Amino acid sequence: LEVGVTPKFQIAGKTLTRALGLFVPIMRELSEMIYQYDQDYVFLSEKFEHRLGLKPTSYEEGLKEIVASDYGQLA
C-alpha cells in the first residue's frame, strides 16, 4: 500500500452497530445510515464533467496524491 502498512479492520454488522449505539453516540448515527452500505453506490458524473470540465480521479491515483501531499512532507 501507499504508506507501507497493511490495513487491519473488522466488520461490525447491523446488530453490533445498534448495540454499540446504546453507549457510543456516533455509532447510533452510523446504525441509522448503514442502509447506504447494503448496495453499491453509483454516482454518474457525466453532467459534472461536461459542465465543469472536470475529470474523475481513480481511487488509486487519488490515494497516491494524498499520501504524496500530506504525508510526503513528514518524511
Side-chain angles (χ1 to χ4, degrees), residues 4-46:
V5 178
T6 302
K8 296 178 183 177
F9 57 89
Q10 294 179 332
I11 298 173
K14 292 178 187 178
T15 304
L16 179 58
T17 306
R18 286 189 181 113
L20 289 171
L22 296 173
F23 307 100
V24 183
I26 193 73
M27 294 303 286
R28 185 178 316 121
E29 294 177 24
L30 179 62
S31 70
E32 293 174 4
M33 303 303 289
I34 206 163
Y35 72 92
Q36 294 180 344
Y37 302 101
D38 288 342
Q39 300 177 30
D40 289 340
Y41 182 78
V42 179
F43 179 79
L44 302 176
S45 62
E46 290 87 9

